[in-house]
Amino acid sequence: MPLCFVFVPFQIFLRGKYKLFPIEMAASTSISFYTSNGAIGVPKVSKSHKIFMSRYPELFSKKPVNCARVCSSADFTALRSSFAVKPLQLEGNREARQKFGVLCQAVGLKNGHANSFSVGQKFQLDDVIEAQQFDRDTLSAIFDVAREMEKVEKNSPGSQILKGYLMATLFYEPSTRTRLSFESAMKRLGGEVLTTENAREFSSAAKGETLEDSIRTVEGYSDIIVMRHFESGAARRAAATAEIPIINAGDGPGQHPTQALLDVYTIEREIGKLDGITVALVGDLANGRTVRSLAYLLAKYKDVKIYFVAPDVVKMKDDIKDYLNSRNVQWEESANLMEVASKCDVVYQTRIQKERFGERIDLYEEARGKYIVDRNVLSVMQNHAVVMHPLPRLDEITVDVDGDPRAAYFRQAKNGLYIRMALLKLLLLGW
C-alpha cells in the first residue's frame, strides 16, 4: 500500500517555533500534516476549504484515515486548486523560500519504509545533532544528494541555490577540515559565511556569556549555525534554544554526526557496500567522538562486525557496546592490530587526544604510540580494504602509507565537502 502525505498550509505553534510537523500513522492508511518552518503559507478561506474541512474532519483529528477516500476525491482537487499561498513574515523565524500548498503524494514502500523523497519536500530534521537521528533510507537519500553535489563542485564556479543565505560557524574548539569544508560547501552553493574560529577565547564566551545567549544572538545574523563545542551535549542545548537549524560539528567527547555521515559515505564509495562489512576502530575510542558516531551509523546495516582496538586507558565506553548489543551488532575487543587488520574491510585509525587527558600526561604517554598503522599493517590487509582516519594525524599512521591506494583518508576528507554541501542544501531548501 502507498504511504500518503497531505501538505496543508496551516499554522501549528510548537515550543515557540513554526515546525514541519508530521503525524505518523500506519503505512496502509496514513495521512501526515506539514507546515513550513519560519514564514508559512496562509490559505485564503474559500467555499472549497469549508466544504473540504466539513467533509473530512478526520484530517484534523490526528487519527488514521483512508488515503484513497481523501486523495481521490473531487473535493480534494478543488481544495488543491483553490489555495492562494503567500509568505508570512514572522519575527525570529526564517523567511520562506518556497510557497506551500496542499499536496497528496503516493510514495512507494520498500520493506515497510518510504524509499524516496519528493523534490521540494522539507527535510525530516530541523537540526543535525547526533547519528541516531538518521535511518537507512534517509542516509541513502543524503548520499544521492552528495553525489549530485560532487557534480556541482566539479562544474566550478558551482551553484547559486543558497544565494541570499548566511551560515555562521561558531567553533569553541580548533578545527581545520570541518570548519573549512562547511565554509567551502556554503560558498560553492552561493551562500555567505560568518565565522569565528576560536569562540572560546575570542568571543563573548570569554566574558562569561552563556551558550544560550550566544546562540540567540548569532541566529539573528544568520540562517543556519554550524557549532563545535568542548562540552558533550552542547549542540542539543543550542538546538533547543535556536529557531534556525543547528549542525553539530563536534561536541567534546560526545558526537560528530557529519563526520560519521562522510565516513559511511566513504566506506560505501571505497568498498562498494555497507551490509556485511567488517570494521576496525582503532586508537582513542573513549574520547573520540568520530568513532562513537560511526558506531551508531554502522549499527543500521546488516551483518556488520566491529573490532575495537584501543589502549586500556581509552577503550570504547559501555554505552556504545550496549547500543550495539541492542541492535544485535557483533563486536569484539582485541589487542592485536595485525590480526584484526587482516580480517577487515576498513581500518579506521584515530589519534590519541592529548587535550582530553588534562593533567594526566602520564596516561596520555601510556596510550600514545601503542597502535600504529604502517607498511607492516598494510602487508596483512586485503587488497580491497582501506585505511581511514578523521584527521588530523600525528604519528599513528606513518607517512609511507600515504602512497598506497588503500590509504583513503584524504579522499575521505574531500568527501566531507560533498556531504556538508548536501546537508546545507537539505536543511535550508529541503529535498
Side-chain angles (χ1 to χ4, degrees), residues 134-260:
F134 301 93
D135 59 28
R136 282 189 62 150
D137 290 329
T138 304
L139 289 171
S140 179
I142 291 171
F143 296 162
D144 286 342
V145 177
R147 282 184 278 271
E148 291 302 313
M149 293 299 107
E150 185 170 351
K151 297 175 185 176
V152 170
E153 186 264 342
K154 289 179 178 177
N155 294 329
S156 185
S159 169
Q160 293 295 310
I161 62 172
L162 294 186
K163 185 176 182 180
Y165 285 89
L166 280 168
M167 178 187 75
T169 54
L170 192 59
F171 278 60
Y172 293 83
E173 284 190 327
S175 171
T176 300
R177 277 149 297 276
T178 302
R179 183 173 63 86
L180 291 181
S181 65
F182 265 114
E183 293 180 4
S184 176
M186 190 66 175
K187 287 181 174 293
R188 288 183 181 277
L189 293 175
E192 297 294 334
V193 175
L194 305 173
T195 186
T196 174
E197 183 177 358
N198 191 351
R200 188 175 189 176
E201 184 176 351
F202 297 115
S203 75
S204 291
K207 304 175 184 178
E209 183 176 56
T210 65
L211 173 64
E212 286 76 8
D213 282 359
S214 294
I215 292 297
R216 289 188 182 99
T217 300
V218 174
E219 74 172 341
Y221 310 144
S222 57
D223 300 294
I224 189 168
I225 296 173
V226 179
M227 188 184 80
R228 170 169 292 183
H229 203 275
F230 50 89
E231 291 181 356
S232 180
R236 187 177 298 280
R237 288 168 52 200
T241 300
E243 294 185 4
I244 65 175
I246 299 291
I247 298 179
N248 180 7
D251 58 343
Q255 286 209 43
H256 196 347
T258 68
Q259 179 69 47

Side-chain angles (χ1 to χ4, degrees), residues 391-410:
L391 303 177
R393 68 170 166 186
L394 299 180
D395 53 6
E396 63 275 359
I397 299 178
T398 58
V399 294
D400 58 359
V401 172
D402 295 355
D404 193 289
R406 292 169 292 181
Y409 30 89
F410 293 115

Side-chain angles (χ1 to χ4, degrees), residues 60 62 66 76 151 166 181 206 215 241 254 312 318 378-379 392 394 402 410 413 417:
F60 306 95
K62 298 187 179 182
N66 188 313
F76 183 85
K151 297 175 185 176
L166 280 168
S181 65
I215 292 297
T241 300
D312 289 340
D318 288 340
L378 284 179
S379 69
L394 299 180
D402 295 355
F410 293 115
L417 173 64

Side-chain angles (χ1 to χ4, degrees), residues 367-387:
R368 181 183 178 185
K370 186 172 179 63
Y371 296 109
I372 295 176
V373 174
D374 55 16
R375 299 294 302 181
N376 292 326
V377 173
L378 284 179
S379 69
V380 301
M381 288 177 60
Q382 301 172 72
N383 289 335
H384 76 275
V386 293
V387 178

